[in-house]
């Protein structure tokens, strides 16, 4: 639908309309989740968890295996933002951790999809180590909420939060520059103690980088972000 609109309507108009529509949708549903007991990330002062000026963003790519002990020592002297299956790596415990609510495809007798079942079983071994980690669930949608509660039950503790995300449209470099500049003017990338919303485009790695910008990290380093390696 967006691609069709862009053929007939100037990008700037579509971009702004999409921004307000998406923002309204996310905020409305998160208000509903808050009534059900979920906590929004802006309820805590994130600056109290920031212990360094350097943030390592840790994915679950195969290249994590090539990180040396000395490099892990450096990583562990600084703050870390892990996401998705990064918890399988036992060389670190992140400061912050995030994952998305996965789709409910072909659920088993426990109401969990194949990916949900995998996550449910693997995370159990890290539950205790992650009890003090700030856990952020991004983009819970109405049709994924029950599924997340079926497979993510070990996530639920005092350090679990949901977050309002800001998205956008852009398929060319010039459009992305325009989008980022517009959101910058709307103070989406300002340094904040209480994070009301964070920019996310397509994948969690963009949210992790934006999160680091919002918390004022001076250096953000990506580890295990293997976008072209299926291992």
């Amino acid at each position: 639908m967006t691609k069709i609109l862009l053929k007939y309507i100037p990008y700037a108009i579509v971009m702004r309309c999409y921004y307000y529509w998406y923002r309204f949708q996310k905020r409305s549903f998160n208000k509903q989740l808050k009534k059900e007991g979920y906590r929004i990330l802006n309820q805590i002062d994130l600056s109290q968890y920031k212990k360094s000026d350097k943030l390592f963003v840790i994915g679950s790519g195969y290249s994590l295996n090539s990180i040396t002990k000395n490099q892990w020592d450096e990583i562990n002297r600084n703050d870390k933002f892990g996401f998705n299956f990064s918890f399988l790596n036992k060389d670190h415990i992140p400061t912050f951790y995030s994952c998305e609510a996965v789709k409910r495809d072909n659920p088993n007798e426990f109401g969990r999809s194949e990916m949900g079942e995998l996550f449910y079983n693997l995370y159990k071994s890290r539950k205790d180590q992650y009890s003090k980690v700030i856990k952020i669930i991004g983009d819970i949608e109405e049709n994924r909420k029950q599924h997340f509660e079926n497979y993510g039950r070990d996530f639920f503790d005092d350090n679990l939060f949901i977050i309002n995300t800001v998205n956008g449209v852009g398929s060319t470099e010039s459009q992305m520059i325009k989008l980022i500049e517009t959101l910058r003017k709307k103070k989406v990338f300002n340094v904040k103690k209480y994070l009301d919303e964070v920019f996310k485009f397509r994948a969690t790695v963009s949210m992790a980088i934006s999160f680091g910008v919002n918390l004022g990290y001076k250096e953000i380093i990506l580890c295990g972000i293997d976008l072209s390696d299926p291992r």
Side-chain angles (χ1 to χ4, degrees):
M1 176 62 74
T2 303
K3 291 181 179 179
I4 295 175
L5 290 175
L6 286 171
K7 289 182 179 180
Y8 304 101
I9 304 174
Y11 171 74
I13 296 175
V14 175
M15 181 256 295
R16 285 180 170 82
C17 289
Y18 185 88
Y19 164 77
Y20 287 112
W21 172 82
Y22 185 92
R23 193 169 183 254
F24 173 77
Q25 293 284 102
K26 290 298 177 183
R27 285 175 175 268
S28 296
F29 188 60
N30 280 353
K31 282 182 180 179
Q32 177 184 326
L33 291 174
K34 188 175 179 181
K35 290 179 181 178
E36 297 178 19
Y38 284 85
R39 300 174 68 198
I40 308 293
L41 190 60
N42 63 7
Q43 292 178 264
I44 61 170
D45 178 358
L46 287 170
S47 66
Q48 64 181 311
Y49 300 96
K50 184 173 180 285
K51 307 300 182 185
S52 66
D53 288 327
K54 188 182 295 184
L55 178 69
F56 286 88
V57 174
I58 302 177
S60 49
Y62 188 80
S63 62
L64 289 181
N65 294 305
S66 64
I67 296 177
T68 67
K69 181 183 182 304
N70 287 340
Q71 289 173 327
W72 278 117
D73 289 342
E74 168 67 10
I75 291 170
N76 286 316
R77 284 193 290 269
N78 294 277
D79 293 343
K80 299 162 287 292
F81 188 111
F83 65 93
N84 294 347
F85 282 92
S86 65
F87 65 80
L88 292 177
N89 176 271
K90 297 184 180 179
D91 290 299
H92 80 289
I93 295 176
T95 314
F96 312 100
Y97 172 83
S98 180
C99 67
E100 298 177 359
V102 300
K103 294 180 180 179
R104 183 180 179 270
D105 293 331
N106 301 314
N108 59 19
E109 59 183 311
F110 304 107
R112 299 190 284 264
S113 67
E114 183 178 356
M115 183 63 71
E117 185 71 23
L118 182 65
F119 195 99
Y120 172 75
N121 286 313
L122 292 175
Y123 184 76
K124 283 183 177 181
S125 65
R126 302 291 276 164
K127 178 182 177 181
D128 291 340
Q129 293 97 324
Y130 273 57
S131 62
K132 294 183 180 180
V133 174
I134 298 299
K135 292 174 283 294
I136 305 164
I137 303 302
D139 296 333
I140 297 182
E141 298 173 358
E142 192 167 4
N143 60 354
R144 299 187 184 194
K145 174 180 172 292
Q146 185 59 57
H147 183 232
F148 169 66
E149 292 172 351
N150 288 341
Y151 78 81
R153 60 185 63 178
D154 286 329
F155 255 42
F156 286 77
D157 58 30
D158 291 339
N159 288 319
L160 173 67
F161 300 88
I162 57 175
I163 192 169
N164 293 312
T165 55
V166 176
N167 207 319
V169 292
S171 58
T172 66
E173 183 177 346
S174 61
Q175 288 178 353
M176 287 302 298
I177 291 172
K178 180 66 175 178
L179 172 63
I180 296 296
E181 180 61 20
T182 300
L183 295 181
R184 186 186 67 80
K185 291 178 180 178
K186 292 181 179 297
K187 302 180 179 181
V188 171
F189 299 109
N190 280 16
V191 176
K192 307 167 186 175
K193 289 185 178 181
Y194 296 89
L195 192 52
D196 179 53
E197 58 189 7
V198 66
F199 175 67
K200 177 184 176 185
F201 191 87
R202 293 184 182 271
T204 304
V205 64
S206 63
M207 188 185 85
I209 295 170
S210 302
F211 182 92
V213 171
N214 285 138
L215 264 63
Y217 286 99
K218 296 179 180 178
E219 191 173 2
I220 300 173
I221 300 155
L222 308 184
C223 303
I225 312 300
D226 302 1
L227 301 181
S228 59
D229 188 334
R231 294 176 296 175

